[in-house]
Amino acid sequence: MFKKILFASSATEASDHAARVAFNMAQAYGARISIFHVLGVPTRGFSQVVLDVKTKEKVVLDDEYIAWVEEEIKEHYAKQLETATKASIKVAVGFPHREILRAAREWGPDLIVMGGSTGDNEESVYKKSIVGSTLQRVAKAAPCPVLVVNRPAASFWGGMSNIVFGTDFSKASDAAFKFAVKLAKALSCELHIFHALDIGSITMGRVLTQDEIESQIRESLRRIRGRYLPDMNGIQDYSFEVWEGIPYVEVVKYAREKHADLIIMAHHTQKTSREDTRLGSNIEQVIVRAGCPVISINR
């Protein structure tokens, strides 16, 4: 299922939790893992002077400096690299999201693994140049699924046995569902299909009666069965569930109840051509709050 994993690293403690999952997955599935790090941004045009993302200092980019950065990465991940038989390290210069996407197009990974934040937003050398975070831009345009490990608690990953797929019945969710089914079949996982009934958005401020809420829940369950049940052949253990409430809160609560190892959701449910479009608010909040890794699917 996973043969090539691109781990986009900040080479700092902020991405250590994502590193733990990336290396564990590579070992579990015998995958090649590429540690990819963008070391800095050019100060102007094609200048050899770059602003180092870690030191915030201007440095002259040459082979010696690149070799030094690669050595630092090796030291930072020395423990993981001891057991990783198919690992490589690559560094680049430029804006992180562009270079990560470029590396993904050239190498063709099955999965991109990222942390949710560099932990350095206030002092980031990219802050004045980029609208939206690296994660948001990579998730929108990535040619493969993007797995995000935002919280340290989400990094204690012991393999996949329970997958939660969150749907809002959009076309984008249909694409995410196909990936969830493929993954569940390949890894013999339980698949839990979940929909959170957003009462606030469907009532326009009017308070629903309990009978109306339960009627909406029954209708959502009917839609789930009609939309997804025909494709569940080959998956022995699965369930359908609908809860009412704030969608991202309910997704996180449901995943916790099911002891989920992974949450899969669509990147965005609306068509847009803007490059700076943020992650859909629900998946963004799920990534921030989830106690397990989250995969974003954009196609």
Side-chain angles (χ1 to χ4, degrees), residues 21-52:
V21 173
F23 278 99
N24 283 348
M25 290 186 71
Q27 186 173 20
Y29 305 118
R32 295 184 179 278
I33 180 169
S34 175
I35 305 169
F36 185 77
H37 173 64
V38 180
L39 63 88
V41 58
T43 53
R44 62 182 186 279
F46 295 97
S47 171
Q48 288 297 102
V49 178
V50 301
L51 193 60
D52 188 288

Side-chain angles (χ1 to χ4, degrees), residues 204-216:
M204 302 297 289
R206 183 175 67 85
V207 178
L208 290 178
T209 66
Q210 193 58 35
D211 285 343
E212 288 175 317
I213 291 173
E214 291 176 4
S215 175
Q216 292 276 0

Side-chain angles (χ1 to χ4, degrees), residues 65-261:
Y65 189 76
I66 291 174
W68 176 75
V69 172
E70 290 177 346
E71 191 60 34
E72 270 209 331
I73 294 172
K74 287 180 183 178
E75 291 180 8
H76 190 82
Y77 295 117
K79 187 175 181 180
Q80 293 93 330
L81 288 170
E82 287 178 2
T83 56
T85 59
K86 303 176 182 178
S88 61
I89 295 172
K90 183 178 181 181
V91 299
V93 175
F95 294 111
H97 72 282
R98 292 178 184 170
E99 300 309 316
I100 292 169
L101 291 171
R102 192 196 314 276
R105 287 192 298 269
E106 292 175 355
W107 194 50
D110 305 301
L111 186 71
I112 297 173
V113 179
M114 302 178 65
S117 169
T118 62
D120 194 24
N121 293 332
E122 291 302 315
E123 300 179 6
S124 173
V125 299
Y126 304 106
K127 187 176 181 183
K128 296 180 180 179
S129 304
I130 293 182
V131 180
S133 74
T134 298
L135 167 61
Q136 290 159 355
R137 290 182 167 222
V138 170
K140 179 178 184 295
C144 63
V146 178
L147 185 148
V148 186
V149 188
N150 187 65
R151 297 176 58 210
S155 68
F156 294 99
W157 185 87
M160 293 183 196
S161 57
N162 285 286
I163 297 173
V164 166
F165 161 61
T167 181
D168 62 0
F169 303 114
S170 64
K171 289 184 178 180
S173 283
D174 288 345
F177 171 71
K178 291 178 181 178
F179 177 80
V181 168
K182 182 180 178 181
L183 188 62
K185 288 180 178 179
L187 304 180
S188 299
C189 298
E190 293 182 19
L191 179 58
H192 307 285
I193 299 178
F194 179 75
H195 173 66
L197 185 66
D198 188 353
I199 296 174
S201 68
I202 63 176
T203 62
M204 302 297 289
R206 183 175 67 85
V207 178
L208 290 178
T209 66
Q210 193 58 35
D211 285 343
E212 288 175 317
I213 291 173
E214 291 176 4
S215 175
Q216 292 276 0
I217 289 174
R218 287 193 295 271
E219 173 61 19
S220 295
L221 282 169
R222 185 193 66 77
R223 291 182 69 185
I224 285 177
R225 292 191 181 97
R227 199 176 190 115
Y228 303 124
L229 187 58
D231 296 315
M232 300 298 284
N233 292 331
I235 300 177
Q236 293 186 350
D237 298 308
Y238 59 86
S239 65
F240 305 134
E241 197 81 48
V242 177
W243 291 359
E244 76 272 22
I246 301 172
Y248 62 82
V249 173
E250 301 309 318
V251 170
V252 172
K253 285 165 56 179
Y254 181 74
R256 185 168 60 239
E257 180 177 293
K258 291 296 183 181
H259 304 289
D261 305 302

